[in-house]
Amino acid sequence: MDTSKLYLLDFPQQHKVTDVDVVTLYHERRFKELDAVVICKDHDGKVTATFGQNSWNCLPFSRKKDNNSLNFEELNSFLMLQRELKLLSLGWLFNKSPKQRKAIEFSSVRSRLRNMNVVYKFLLKNKHSSLKCLSSSVIWSKFEHFLQENNYAQGTIESTFVAINAAINDESWHKLQLGLNPIKSKTEARRISINEAQQTLVIPERLCDAIYGKAIELVNGAHPHRQLILDIEKSLQHNYEEGVRNLEEKIKQGNRYSFMGEGGRIDKRKYISAAQVLQPHKVKDLVAPLAAKVPSIRLKNGTDFNRYWGQLTNACYIVCVGFSGMRDSEIDKLTPKSYYKDSFEGRDFHMLQSHTFKLGHKRETWVTASSSKTAIELMATLTEEWRKEITYPDKKYRDSIWVNKAYRSKPPALITGWNHRLQRFCKQFNFIVTEEDSAECFESNPRSFNRIKKDVTVGNPWHMTTHQFRRTLAFYCIKNRLGTLVAIKQQFKHLYLAMTEWYTNGGKLASLRDLKVDEQVQKALDEINAETTANKIFKQWHSDEKLSGIYGKAIIKMRGDVPTIYSSWDVIYKAVKDGKLTLHGSMHSYCKSGYDCDMDGVVTPQFCVDCGSGSSIIDEQQAKWWQKKHHSLVAYMESGEEISVSELSHYITQVRAAEKVMTDFDMPFTPFEPDLKGANL
């Protein structure tokens, strides 16, 4: 039983669930014993889920702010199907695969169960007793018709077939004798459905300007009064608690109220209303100081104040995600210390730091706009008290600024349901889709026609979702030529450039539509670019400046016998104009391979120092970048922060690369000696 993906390293060994032969219990129909099998315990040993429960609370495994359960309640009316699906799910959860496959994380188990539920909905609807019924060609044909009838997309059908294959692969463990052959999931999904994957929508430019503009306006308007807003919130909470105390005192004195039922039952809603009546201060008086500071906002009662608070929270989220393109799981981990400013060559860069999980849990940074600083400061103040009270499900969320308190009578909690909140934001501020917006949607989203028809309605508020910000940033960066694919790839933490191209889909076409080329200007720009490149190459070959990098060192050796193509400025200039010579630079190196370079050094610059293609050139200015990189990385590794083994390895390779460069330029430095202690985060 492999639980390596489920437990944290510090989880008490004595509270981990033990292996039980559930397959024997299942097939021998010992259901009472089977239902008592423990699925999950928490850190203190408390049982949170047993096999017999119809919803398994697996928070100790998942440790997320929501979606912590495996739910089987749709099959409550058919226990035979429900038990079978539970057995399959238990096998996935504890990696019972006889094929020694790598264990999957809880989120993957949950996704697989969700996909398998498509199959079991069909079985339930048609009163079939087991997954093995699909081995009948007649029933399988009906199942395919069911998938088409319900208009499932190709991706959903493919994932459903993958889940069936997972059940087939575990057959020698669960012994259900399914009689099914493995399915070519992608091929069969395409055969069954014509509904291709629909891309996330780009927000139309007019609406994007309006939404982002309103968010910045709200954040900037509230920022100077953030302490006052917090003080009012604390006063309102204290006022409510005083009302509750007054009510409890009157109850002790023998007063009877309408919320009191027979047997000591209490109508909670009526109880709260009675407590509000007995509050010592009028809510209107408590919010009045803020109403005077922000006269453009309606603030006449507690409902208005709560609405304004919610709008500020949503506005801060929009600012942070809109200008960084972070994933929802990454923006979720922002804390009051996430923003910082870095400077390079006289320019200030505004940065956000958080955790990324797509390619393994690690700290990462994102470039953002200066307004993110204001948003972070505002949310840090507003949630100052709540963050002290909240119980975070995992240390990854510790001190997250995205917390809310929906009711005075309940504790604060991490915010979930961002899509619903964002859609409410659009409705509250009347961001209505026009005919022009709809037409622009079809132009900007060539692979989303079905989604546009479903979600974009003229006259209705814009249907906003969290992932639209990421897609929108990538699209407009390419459309307005604000960045390259490689730069966006680095910002979005993508592994492959193809994924970045998918996000920017439609942007280049939109750019070409808007492009008005002035041939004279373009010709002048080409001339300047060629001259600049020729000057740089000439200086590298015909001066005594120090160079590093694989090709840089080769240049130094060949300066006494310069190849013909580098023999004079005129020859170099002609070669550049003819495309025979290229030189592309970054902060840390130049590359003579140009666009033939694999670009690995953009994300991991240490690759350029000992470039595999022998193309890197590093001059003195770039050596100073490496010197600064060495200083910052060494300072961070010696700061006492917890650093994982993989992170430490990544940082050390960069430090060693920096030391090579500094050695080539005779720059003084102290070689870094790592303390080989890494935290397994």
Side-chain angles (χ1 to χ4, degrees):
M1 183 172 71
D2 185 358
T3 58
S4 59
K5 293 284 186 178
L6 301 178
Y7 291 114
L8 292 173
L9 290 175
D10 61 351
F11 195 92
Q13 185 66 34
Q14 68 271 24
H15 296 327
K16 293 182 179 180
V17 293
T18 54
D19 202 2
V20 177
D21 187 2
V22 292
V23 174
T24 298
L25 296 177
Y26 176 86
H27 288 293
E28 291 181 358
R29 303 180 66 81
R30 292 154 60 186
F31 296 140
K32 188 173 181 180
E33 294 175 63
L34 179 62
D35 288 346
V37 171
V38 174
I39 301 298
C40 185
K41 295 180 183 178
D42 66 16
H43 197 276
D44 298 321
K46 180 183 176 183
V47 175
T48 65
T50 60
F51 192 95
Q53 294 172 335
N54 296 334
S55 181
W56 294 352
N57 174 11
C58 296
L59 175 61
F61 291 156
S62 175
R63 301 176 296 279
K64 295 185 182 296
K65 61 179 182 178
D66 57 358
N67 298 329
N68 296 297
S69 299
L70 300 179
N71 198 301
F72 308 93
E73 291 179 343
E74 288 188 23
L75 298 173
N76 282 353
S77 61
F78 204 149
L79 292 182
M80 190 178 296
L81 280 179
Q82 190 182 62
R83 285 196 187 101
E84 182 178 274
L85 183 56
K86 285 181 179 180
L87 182 66
L88 294 174
S89 300
L90 185 146
W92 298 331
L93 185 64
F94 297 118
N95 196 33
K96 295 288 190 175
S97 173
K99 296 187 177 182
Q100 301 295 305
R101 294 180 182 272
K102 186 178 179 181
I104 59 177
E105 295 184 354
F106 177 82
S107 58
S108 299
V109 176
R110 193 173 180 278
S111 296
R112 188 176 287 176
L113 173 60
R114 183 178 64 245
N115 295 321
M116 194 57 125
N117 264 322
V118 173
V119 185
Y120 278 80
K121 281 179 185 176
F122 165 78
L123 297 174
L124 179 65
K125 181 180 179 182
N126 293 277
K127 296 181 171 57
H128 297 305
S129 59
S130 172
L131 184 62
K132 70 177 67 175
C133 295
L134 292 181
S135 61
S136 162
S137 58
V138 175
I139 295 176
W140 181 265
S141 295
K142 289 181 178 178
F143 177 52
E144 288 186 358
H145 180 68
F146 168 81
L147 296 173
Q148 293 170 332
E149 197 176 48
N150 284 274
N151 207 30
Y152 287 112
Q154 283 181 15
T156 303
I157 296 174
E158 182 183 343
S159 297
T160 300
F161 289 164
V162 168
I164 295 174
N165 283 341
I168 295 171
N169 289 331
D170 292 353
E171 193 162 5
S172 61
W173 170 73
H174 55 61
K175 298 181 177 61
L176 291 174
Q177 299 179 344
L178 299 177
L180 292 166
N181 294 319
I183 307 162
K184 295 180 179 178
S185 53
K186 189 178 289 291
T187 303
E188 290 300 296
R190 286 175 177 169
R191 179 181 64 80
I192 292 170
S193 174
I194 60 171
N195 291 339
E196 295 183 350
Q198 296 292 289
Q199 195 167 18
T200 301
L201 298 182
V202 174
I203 305 172
E205 194 162 358
R206 182 193 67 84
L207 286 169
C208 189
D209 289 344
I211 293 167
Y212 286 36
K214 174 54 73 173
I216 293 171
E217 176 191 322
L218 285 167
V219 171
N220 289 342
H223 185 264
H225 315 301
R226 58 191 185 280
Q227 189 59 50
L228 174 61
I229 298 172
L230 175 61
D231 290 342
I232 290 174
E233 163 58 28
K234 290 193 285 189
S235 297
L236 290 171
Q237 182 65 32
H238 180 71
N239 196 42
Y240 170 76
E241 290 169 357
E242 285 296 308
V244 170
R245 274 193 284 271
N246 291 338
L247 178 59
E248 290 295 329
E249 190 63 35
K250 289 185 176 294
I251 293 172
K252 287 178 182 178
Q253 292 171 3
N255 292 342
R256 298 288 300 173
Y257 291 90
S258 61
F259 60 76
M260 297 177 175
E262 294 181 3
R265 286 177 314 202
I266 291 178
D267 185 320
K268 191 66 177 177
R269 198 164 75 172
K270 289 183 178 180
Y271 177 90
I272 292 171
S273 296
Q276 288 172 337
V277 170
L278 294 173
Q279 291 176 155
H281 303 286
K282 291 183 178 179
V283 173
K284 182 179 179 181
D285 295 337
L286 294 177
V287 301
L290 180 61
K293 297 286 186 181
V294 284
S296 60
I297 305 296
R298 175 188 168 88
L299 287 168
K300 294 186 177 297
N301 51 45
T303 301
D304 290 343
F305 180 82
N306 291 339
R307 185 192 305 112
Y308 180 52
W309 187 289
Q311 289 169 350
L312 292 180
T313 302
N314 296 340
C316 289
Y317 181 92
I318 290 169
V319 168
C320 290
V321 72
F323 294 112
S324 68
M326 297 169 76
R327 299 179 180 94
D328 184 48
S329 61
E330 295 160 350
I331 207 91
D332 250 2
K333 314 304 180 298
L334 291 180
T335 71
K337 297 180 180 179
S338 288
Y339 170 86
Y340 70 96
K341 186 167 68 173
D342 202 0
S343 297
F344 182 75
E345 293 186 346
R347 289 188 61 189
D348 289 337
F349 292 88
H350 303 278
M351 312 293 289
L352 290 176
Q353 188 174 67
S354 183
H355 298 258
T356 187
F357 305 89
K358 201 70 172 180
L359 302 173
H361 177 208
K362 57 183 178 180
R363 280 185 288 271
E364 280 284 8
T365 56
W366 289 259
V367 180
T368 187
S370 59
S371 52
S372 294
K373 176 179 185 289
T374 312
I376 292 285
E377 287 179 352
L378 176 58
M379 281 308 299
T381 301
L382 296 189
T383 61
E384 183 180 296
E385 296 299 318
W386 292 346
R387 283 184 280 113
K388 297 174 185 175
E389 301 175 36
I390 198 168
T391 300
Y392 293 100
D394 194 343
K395 63 181 179 181
K396 296 191 295 285
Y397 291 94
R398 191 179 298 147
D399 218 24
S400 167
I401 57 175
W402 308 116
V403 298
N404 190 39
K405 186 168 183 172
Y407 303 99
R408 298 267 168 231
S409 58
K410 294 183 179 180
L414 288 167
I415 295 176
T416 59
W418 276 112
N419 287 345
H420 177 69
R421 293 179 67 99
L422 294 169
Q423 287 155 25
R424 186 168 64 228
F425 186 85
C426 289
K427 185 176 180 180
Q428 287 172 339
F429 292 105
N430 214 30
F431 297 127
I432 304 299
V433 177
T434 64
E435 292 282 359
E436 292 77 14
D437 297 329
S438 179
E440 185 182 330
C441 268
F442 282 103
E443 286 186 355
S444 302
N445 301 281
R447 299 190 182 185
S448 310
F449 286 178
N450 290 341
R451 176 163 283 175
I452 294 169
K453 291 175 183 176
K454 175 177 174 287
D455 292 338
V456 180
T457 305
V458 174
N460 283 359
W462 176 254
H463 188 81
M464 188 180 287
T465 62
T466 57
H467 217 60
Q468 286 175 5
F469 296 105
R470 192 169 169 83
R471 166 93 166 103
T472 298
L473 179 63
F475 176 89
Y476 286 118
C477 275
I478 293 301
K479 177 184 176 182
N480 298 316
R481 299 177 292 284
L482 300 174
T484 65
L485 278 174
V486 173
I488 297 170
K489 174 179 179 289
Q490 184 176 9
Q491 177 77 0
F492 280 17
K493 318 304 176 197
H494 283 155
L495 186 59
Y496 302 109
L497 203 59
M499 177 58 74
T500 309
E501 289 176 334
W502 170 255
Y503 271 80
T504 64
N505 182 40
K508 189 173 291 185
L509 185 59
S511 177
L512 293 173
R513 282 196 208 100
D514 295 343
L515 191 61
K516 295 179 181 178
V517 179
D518 186 315
E519 293 183 2
Q520 294 295 328
V521 172
Q522 186 62 52
K523 185 178 179 181
L525 289 173
D526 291 341
E527 292 283 348
I528 293 169
N529 187 47
E531 287 180 12
T532 303
T533 302
N535 287 338
K536 191 67 189 176
I537 294 174
F538 182 81
K539 184 182 178 185
Q540 290 170 350
W541 283 90
H542 296 273
S543 74
D544 59 356
E545 73 169 341
K546 293 179 181 179
L547 297 174
S548 185
I550 297 296
Y551 199 66
K553 293 177 182 179
I555 289 174
I556 293 174
K557 291 179 181 179
M558 289 188 286
R559 279 175 179 165
D561 186 16
V562 177
T564 303
I565 197 170
Y566 301 110
S567 60
S568 69
W569 188 91
D570 291 330
V571 174
I572 294 172
Y573 179 71
K574 187 177 186 306
V576 171
K577 290 277 286 184
D578 294 343
K580 295 178 182 178
L581 282 180
T582 60
L583 190 68
H584 295 279
S586 65
M587 291 185 293
H588 57 75
S589 65
Y590 288 101
C591 181
K592 76 176 185 67
S593 293
Y595 291 115
D596 292 331
C597 176
D598 59 16
M599 298 297 178
D600 284 342
V602 174
V603 179
T604 47
Q606 64 267 31
F607 289 170
C608 289
V609 175
D610 292 322
C611 171
S613 61
S615 303
S616 62
I617 307 167
I618 299 172
D619 64 15
E620 188 173 6
Q621 192 63 36
Q622 291 158 333
K624 290 177 181 177
W625 182 91
W626 280 107
Q627 186 181 42
K628 183 178 179 182
K629 189 76 171 176
H630 185 274
H631 176 75
S632 62
L633 285 176
V634 169
Y636 177 64
M637 287 190 285
E638 292 178 346
S639 66
E641 286 277 336
E642 281 192 347
I643 302 174
S644 69
V645 173
S646 60
E647 283 180 306
L648 187 63
S649 174
H650 178 66
Y651 296 151
I652 289 175
T653 56
Q654 290 193 46
V655 166
R656 294 293 177 247
E659 290 176 352
K660 286 183 181 180
V661 174
M662 290 189 291
T663 299
D664 290 338
F665 283 89
D666 297 324
M667 291 178 170
F669 68 91
T670 302
F672 176 67
E673 296 298 333
D675 179 9
L676 297 178
K677 294 178 186 175
N680 291 313
L681 302 178

